[in-house]
Amino acid sequence: MKVFKFGGASVSTLERMRNAGAIIKSQPGKLLVVVSAMGKTTNALEKVINAFYKGEGSNALQLFEEIKQEHSLFAEALLQQPLTQLTDFYTEVEWLLHDKPVREYDYYYDQVVCVGELLSTLIVSHYLSGTGTANTWLDVRDYIRTDSNFRNAGIDWKTSAAKITGELAASFQQAEVIVTQGFIGATDENESTTLGREGSDYSAAVFASLLDAHSLTIWKDVQGVMSADPKQYSAAEWILELSYKEVIEMSYYGAQVIHPKTIKPLQNKDIPLFVRSFLQPAEEGTIIHTRNGIQIPPIIVYKKAQVLLELNCKDFSFVNEGLTVELYHLFDSIKFTPNLTQNGATSIICVVDDHPEKVAQLAHAASTLFEVQVRRNLLLLTIRHYNEGLLNELCKDRTIILKQQTPETVQVLLQE
């Protein structure tokens, strides 16, 4: 049995949807297919949530109406007939949007954003059926059980394993292809949760691990794993082979090609991960496995929209006298993770993603301990296996605000 994961770009147009269908149809044997929301649907749904949470209910409904129309028209053009089952998921969201927010933002985010994956997979499943590929569509919320940490839920492995190895595995008796969603799960109270942005990769790895899959393949719009985002660095190179460890390091520093949580379930079972191009499915991609000592080029990671928090002790206390611990308790309490930190005797510098509500919450809470300064519109550059020539090239004509360096990795905070 194998697991395939298709990202949003791979099902974003009629041609790409048909191409994904052809890839699935060409695969013999049992196959679990995990599909993300189509194209930029998640971004569009985030706008719906933002409007709803601001109390702009009519605007939220109008924005969602545009998403409905896009999916209904897409499905009808692909299937040559209306897909009426989409209405069930439309209603699930509209019922919520007609209310007023009384809970935290992250809760509503998960209840609405999850519909993107449900819509896309329903369309994929019906398309496969119409082209002769028998398949079973499953709602992943019936199988991935999580805690209630909305927007970054943790998986209840014991319960999820029982459901997946039991009920889900039995579904292969009905058809050799199962179509389901990534990125989402549900609590014991059947409230929808999400596993973090790009969590579909993680979902696919969870299924591969629990089902003892032969391999996991992630289909993307590039040949395989690249040494950098080609849109940000034109000299990016395709990498044929990587170790689990290297990919974990890449993910830790913000490389978007593989979700940070994806590797551990695969490594635990020694399941190889392939990254291949859905645009050129016959081409060789990248294999990620246990082998170490692989020669690879410098890995370049850009993280835009970074915020620098400069925290200076109010009474010249040393930060290592408990203040650092207090700060990390604050990060933990608001579920926020710094991308880079640097301590002085009486100050701490933190670099974080620009999530405005979390930055404001952290700055306010930290102001009881520190004088706080906030600086936005920064760029964090990370280079693994760097050389000084490349570092100087990428930093040329930019103002360096902060730099951290080890023999293997350098990070530089730049004025964007």
Side-chain angles (χ1 to χ4, degrees), residues 159-178:
T159 304
S160 300
K163 289 177 173 290
I164 290 170
T165 58
E167 301 167 35
L168 186 144
S171 297
F172 279 116
Q173 296 175 9
Q174 302 171 29
E176 288 200 322
V177 176
I178 291 176

Side-chain angles (χ1 to χ4, degrees), residues 209-227:
S209 177
L210 293 178
L211 293 170
D212 292 321
H214 178 268
S215 63
L216 166 61
T217 301
I218 295 177
W219 296 91
K220 302 178 73 69
D221 58 357
V222 292
Q223 184 178 358
V225 177
M226 307 293 288
S227 63

Side-chain angles (χ1 to χ4, degrees), residues 121-386:
T121 53
L122 191 62
I123 294 171
V124 169
S125 177
H126 279 262
Y127 174 69
L128 291 173
S129 296
T131 55
T133 302
N135 71 96
T136 302
W137 180 91
L138 297 177
D139 187 334
V140 75
R141 295 175 296 181
D142 294 331
Y143 302 95
I144 297 291
R145 186 66 68 226
T146 74
D147 59 25
S148 57
N149 184 16
F150 298 104
R151 290 188 75 180
N152 193 26
I155 292 177
D156 176 345
W157 281 88
K158 183 177 180 180
T159 304
S160 300
K163 289 177 173 290
I164 290 170
T165 58
E167 301 167 35
L168 186 144
S171 297
F172 279 116
Q173 296 175 9
Q174 302 171 29
E176 288 200 322
V177 176
I178 291 176
V179 177
T180 193
Q181 308 78 40
F183 179 53
I184 62 179
T187 67
D188 288 336
E189 288 75 36
N190 290 320
E191 295 174 319
S192 298
T193 56
T194 63
L195 308 180
R197 285 301 296 266
E198 309 302 330
S200 291
D201 290 354
Y202 181 39
S203 300
V206 170
F207 282 121
S209 177
L210 293 178
L211 293 170
D212 292 321
H214 178 268
S215 63
L216 166 61
T217 301
I218 295 177
W219 296 91
K220 302 178 73 69
D221 58 357
V222 292
Q223 184 178 358
V225 177
M226 307 293 288
S227 63
D229 183 342
K231 298 174 184 176
Q232 296 175 319
Y233 184 65
S234 60
E237 301 177 41
W238 163 56
I239 303 173
L240 174 63
E241 186 181 18
L242 285 167
S243 67
Y244 291 130
K245 180 181 183 298
E246 183 61 40
V247 172
I248 289 173
E249 292 289 340
M250 291 169 65
S251 300
Y252 174 80
Y253 289 111
Q256 295 297 307
V257 67
I258 303 294
H259 188 276
K261 297 178 182 177
T262 299
I263 299 302
K264 189 175 188 302
L266 302 176
Q267 186 179 29
N268 289 346
K269 295 285 188 74
D270 198 15
I271 298 170
L273 169 61
F274 296 90
V275 181
R276 298 175 62 187
S277 170
F278 62 80
L279 298 173
Q280 298 175 309
E283 294 293 325
E284 187 175 19
T286 299
I287 181 172
I288 301 164
H289 51 180
T290 54
R291 182 182 169 191
N292 294 309
I294 303 166
Q295 293 297 313
I296 58 175
I299 305 295
I300 300 166
V301 180
Y302 290 98
K303 292 200 73 160
K304 295 185 176 182
Q306 298 295 288
V307 177
L308 176 67
L309 293 168
E310 298 183 69
L311 311 174
N312 293 286
C313 298
K314 292 182 175 181
D315 59 358
F316 287 94
S317 298
F318 289 112
V319 295
N320 62 0
E321 295 177 347
L323 289 177
T324 303
V325 173
E326 290 288 335
L327 177 62
Y328 273 92
H329 283 162
L330 292 179
F331 272 111
D332 186 60
S333 67
I334 63 176
K335 301 178 178 65
F336 205 21
T337 303
N339 297 321
L340 184 151
T341 61
Q342 185 168 292
N343 292 10
T346 61
S347 65
I348 304 175
I349 292 174
C350 303
V351 179
V352 297
D353 295 329
D354 194 358
H355 297 306
E357 73 284 357
K358 289 189 182 289
V359 171
Q361 192 176 353
L362 178 62
H364 176 73
S367 66
T368 62
L369 304 170
F370 304 94
E371 297 290 345
V372 181
Q373 291 183 304
V374 180
R375 186 171 175 180
R376 283 186 156 84
N377 301 318
L378 304 175
L379 173 70
L380 181 60
L381 166 66
T382 302
I383 311 175
R384 283 184 54 75
H385 317 294
Y386 68 95

